Amino acid sequence: MRRATLLALAAVLLFPFGLSANNIRIVGTPAVAKKNDSIAAITFTVAWDNSWKSSKPANYDAAWIYVKCWDGDQWNHAYLADTGHTPGNNDLPGYRVTNREGTKKKFAMTYELGKSVVYKQWHVDPDEDSVIGNVGLFLYRKDSLGAGDVVVPGVSLLWNYAEQGFTSDDDLVVKVFAVEMVYVPQGEFYLGGMGTQASQPASFTANSNKFGFPYYVASEKAITVANNASDTTLWSTAGMVAGTLSADFPKGYQAFYIMKYELTQEAYADFLNTLNQGQQDGRIQGVLANIGVGGHIWDGAANSLAAWRNYIEVSQRAPTVVFSVDANNNNKWNETTTVARTVGGVADSCAMGIDGQDVAVNFVSMYDLLAYADFAGLRPMTELEYEKACRGNRPVVNDEYAWGSVTMTYFNTAFHDGWGAYFGYSTARIPDINKGSEHVADDYNCGATHGIYYVWWENNRMLSAPLRVGCFADSTSTRAAAGATYWGVMNMSDNCSELCISVGNATVAPGQKFIGVHGDGQLLANGNADVTGWAIVDVAPYYIPRGMTFPSGVAIGNVGWGYNGLAGQVLTAGMISSRYQYAHGYIPSRRDTHGAFMPGIRCVRTAKAAK
């Protein structure tokens, strides 16, 4: 199930232990009312399914909400006021926060502002003083523990429009975006594994090049990266250089929010549609001027079903370029069907995508992730935060995946019916293909697929591709069956890989120099992020993909994704602690890295951050 109306940037989201689609959405059109000559109230209803707040583990989900405003020429970020926001009105009809049994309740919601270094105006002007601005807020359950669906009318955000150049005579037009996040609380955790170099290539260690000595992160204090046998220094067998992770480098100890799912294709199209054409051109694989209506953004080709299920196309050229999703290749974009249901004892309906909208976006680079993070007021995660988000505060388990088990039940058939036959979907293997209810036919918890000899990212055959985000979970799923992390984050060991800030470089920023600054909502003219401290040169190894990536020493070709149907090699990709991949040799701008890993977009934000 997916969003009903206005933009919601993570269209299919799941609750970790009572799982079905979360359908986060902004219901209807937000109302903008000027309260005086400088302040306006932006009021709307936000809803999502399977919201939760728990004590064991002590975490919750939250809607990250931010706003874009139209200045007559393009969309820009709206910075929120410091006080006065209303996290919903339970006196309004339709307000409900249900428990798992569907009982109707009226639990209160609350919010937390997200602050970033911003400019009063939308452009970056070196002569203009920067300020701390509110780029968005997290909305979540205030006190109540439990799980259930929420519909929250009367959410009202105050916006000082005068500070951003508007007058009381101007029409105020806005877009409100919402994406579901998971709160990962502050606390100690372990980095690294207890396997072998063969099973967990280049795992972090606290004891030189030996495995079985995980590094214990007990604070956000500086960490020395050095090759010596000490439990006070961090190292790995490969892909590391000596240096220091400063106290400002996000190590995962401090609480943070993480996107529950990889960004969907519809969400990426929504992102593109809020940029100007110069910025759009920088964020796609093809050259925008050469892509006609129906042409795919990954290669510009029209009237063909894209390899690796990249379904985003140009659906309009004039007067502005519009991007949409068209999995069935009929030039009818973002198609939906209405599904009736009952939520909290109340009859309800929502639109379910049938055009591949909820498939994880692929063919992206690290630059694309940074641009989206900046646009949304988020930031990239570090590879230390990746391990914390997977493992939680639990002891290390030898050869574990993100769901805490050593068993990966992977979807072991080819996605297409024939080599390179992109139209030949196997609907028997993947029921409801391209719908918001897409799932695999049997009980799997990993999106990896392989045929007789060839597997997901095999360079020449293209037999497979990412699946719908969260497709392994249903209403009865356990954590292991759903592929959920300790905190309820989905697809961290499967589907697309997670692009992270690497600690393997001490000289090329950010790398070890990263200090966790968040996006300001604005991009440069070429569509790149403009955040101080994110600027990089186009060399490796600035970033590293974690999760679903090739292990060290596995060749592309018949061996494929860590598994050889003839030799029976161990399937090692996806293990939490495996961090040395071919990808460490790729430059950050490359989008054609599917032969070694399939990058997706997932961002984080430090909790209660003021930078």
Side-chain angles (χ1 to χ4, degrees):
M1 311 292 280
R2 40 181 298 280
R3 66 183 176 95
T5 51
L6 201 61
L7 299 171
L9 285 191
V12 173
L13 303 167
L14 311 180
F15 175 68
F17 309 117
L19 297 127
S20 60
N22 275 16
N23 191 28
I24 191 168
R25 58 209 183 273
I26 304 298
V27 180
T29 302
V32 183
K34 296 171 184 171
K35 299 175 73 68
N36 53 46
D37 289 343
S38 60
I39 301 295
I42 303 167
T43 305
F44 53 90
T45 297
V46 63
W48 71 96
D49 302 342
N50 300 311
S51 164
W52 86 89
K53 189 171 187 178
S54 64
S55 58
K56 293 182 180 180
N59 79 317
Y60 52 87
D61 73 337
W64 172 245
I65 300 172
Y66 60 98
V67 181
K68 301 291 178 175
C69 55
W70 180 253
D71 71 353
D73 181 53
Q74 63 182 9
W75 292 100
N76 291 286
H77 205 83
Y79 302 122
L80 306 178
D82 289 328
T83 59
H85 308 293
T86 304
N89 183 350
N90 61 11
D91 291 327
L92 291 175
Y95 186 104
R96 62 178 183 266
V97 180
T98 61
N99 61 19
R100 195 185 301 276
E101 289 72 37
T103 305
K104 186 176 180 180
K105 301 290 183 181
K106 289 203 171 187
F107 297 123
M109 305 292 282
T110 189
Y111 67 90
E112 173 189 324
L113 287 166
K115 298 180 180 295
S116 297
V117 176
V118 304
Y119 295 87
K120 291 181 180 179
Q121 299 295 328
W122 302 304
H123 60 281
V124 177
D125 184 348
D127 297 326
E128 184 179 14
D129 292 335
S130 61
V131 297
I132 298 296
N134 301 306
V135 294
L137 58 75
F138 293 101
L139 182 73
Y140 54 91
R141 293 170 181 247
K142 183 177 181 181
D143 299 313
S144 60
L145 299 178
D149 305 323
V150 301
V151 179
V152 189
V155 178
S156 185
L157 309 182
L158 296 188
W159 169 38
N160 191 327
Y161 63 87
E163 280 192 351
Q164 295 191 248
F166 290 101
T167 71
S168 58
D169 294 328
D170 291 328
D171 291 330
L172 302 179
V173 180
V174 301
K175 287 183 181 181
V176 180
F177 291 79
V179 57
E180 190 175 0
M181 311 283 284
V182 173
Y183 175 76
V184 177
Q186 177 176 303
E188 300 88 348
F189 70 103
Y190 287 98
L191 287 172
M194 297 180 67
T196 66
Q197 186 170 1
S199 67
Q200 297 177 26
S203 171
F204 286 126
T205 177
N207 196 6
S208 187
N209 61 356
K210 299 177 182 179
F211 286 84
F213 293 88
Y215 184 90
Y216 191 59
V217 179
S219 73
E220 288 287 343
K221 293 181 180 179
I223 294 177
T224 299
V225 181
N227 184 17
N228 56 59
S230 167
D231 61 5
T232 63
T233 58
L234 180 66
W235 196 249
S236 77
T237 57
M240 294 281 280
V241 295
T244 300
L245 304 181
S246 74
D248 290 325
F249 183 94
K251 302 169 190 67
Y253 174 83
Q254 185 175 350
F256 62 95
Y257 293 88
I258 180 171
M259 287 171 59
K260 189 173 184 181
Y261 289 99
E262 293 142 346
L263 196 70
T264 64
Q265 298 205 17
E266 184 179 33
Y268 195 77
D270 287 340
F271 160 58
L272 293 175
N273 290 335
T274 317
L275 307 181
N276 62 45
Q277 290 190 21
Q279 293 169 330
Q280 290 172 336
D281 206 14
R283 298 279 62 83
I284 63 174
Q285 177 88 353
V287 178
L288 185 56
N290 298 335
I291 302 178
V293 172
H296 292 277
I297 67 170
W298 72 281
D299 67 350
N303 301 317
S304 66
L305 196 57
W308 291 295
R309 302 188 78 189
N310 190 305
Y311 299 137
I312 303 175
E313 301 176 354
V314 172
S315 58
Q316 174 183 295
R317 288 285 323 176
T320 60
V321 175
V322 175
F323 298 88
S324 304
V325 187
D326 185 20
N328 57 21
N329 199 43
N330 63 356
N331 284 353
K332 296 179 181 179
W333 294 277
N334 294 343
E335 292 179 282
T336 64
T337 186
T338 301
V339 178
R341 60 183 187 162
T342 300
V343 178
V346 179
D348 189 23
S349 64
C350 66
M352 181 176 70
I354 58 175
D355 237 343
Q357 295 98 314
D358 303 317
V359 175
V361 69
N362 54 357
F363 267 112
V364 293
S365 69
M366 189 64 184
Y367 281 114
D368 298 323
L369 182 147
L370 291 176
Y372 173 76
D374 192 7
F375 172 87
L378 303 172
R379 64 167 174 81
M381 76 174 109
T382 69
E383 52 176 327
L384 281 67
E385 290 174 310
Y386 167 81
E387 294 200 24
K388 169 70 174 292
C390 290
R391 181 177 292 125
N393 57 7
R394 311 299 290 176
V396 173
V397 175
N398 187 30
D399 295 343
E400 66 185 314
Y401 296 98
W403 43 87
S405 168
V406 300
T407 302
M408 174 182 280
T409 308
Y410 61 97
F411 183 51
N412 61 346
T413 54
F415 184 87
H416 297 289
D417 286 327
W419 291 354
Y422 306 143
F423 289 97
Y425 294 136
S426 176
T427 54
R429 297 165 184 151
I430 307 179
D432 293 344
I433 193 160
N434 294 326
K435 296 181 179 180
S437 54
E438 176 181 292
H439 59 286
V440 294
D442 295 303
D443 294 330
Y444 303 105
N445 64 1
C446 177
T449 74
H450 84 90
I452 299 175
Y453 307 117
Y454 299 95
V455 295
W456 192 326
W457 301 303
E458 204 285 317
N459 250 359
N460 301 314
R461 306 304 181 189
M462 306 181 204
L463 293 185
S464 192
L467 297 169
R468 175 180 68 84
V469 296
C471 72
F472 302 106
D474 59 32
S475 60
T476 63
S477 295
T478 63
R479 172 187 167 191
T485 75
Y486 179 75
W487 308 109
V489 186
M490 304 298 293
N491 300 126
M492 291 283 271
S493 275
D494 65 274
N495 225 14
C496 292
S497 61
E498 312 301 333
L499 300 182
C500 302
I501 299 293
S502 172
V503 300
N505 193 297
T507 57
V508 178
Q512 293 180 11
K513 298 180 180 180
F514 185 64
I515 59 173
V517 175
H518 296 94
D520 60 11
Q522 298 301 125
L523 301 179
L524 298 174
N526 63 1
N528 284 346
D530 69 352
V531 181
T532 301
W534 290 11
I536 59 175
V537 295
D538 206 21
V539 299
Y542 152 65
Y543 74 106
I544 183 172
R546 300 293 298 269
M548 187 59 71
T549 56
F550 276 119
S552 174
V554 176
I556 300 172
N558 286 357
V559 174
W561 178 73
Y563 181 91
N564 186 319
L566 299 176
Q569 292 183 351
V570 176
L571 194 65
T572 60
M575 289 181 180
I576 293 174
S577 300
S578 179
R579 62 174 300 274
Y580 181 68
Q581 286 82 27
Y582 295 125
H584 236 146
Y586 286 107
I587 59 176
S589 61
R590 286 192 60 173
R591 297 185 177 98
D592 58 340
T593 52
H594 290 54
F597 65 100
M598 180 175 287
I601 291 178
R602 192 192 307 260
C603 306
V604 303
R605 187 175 176 93
T606 308
K608 302 186 186 303
K611 63 181 179 181

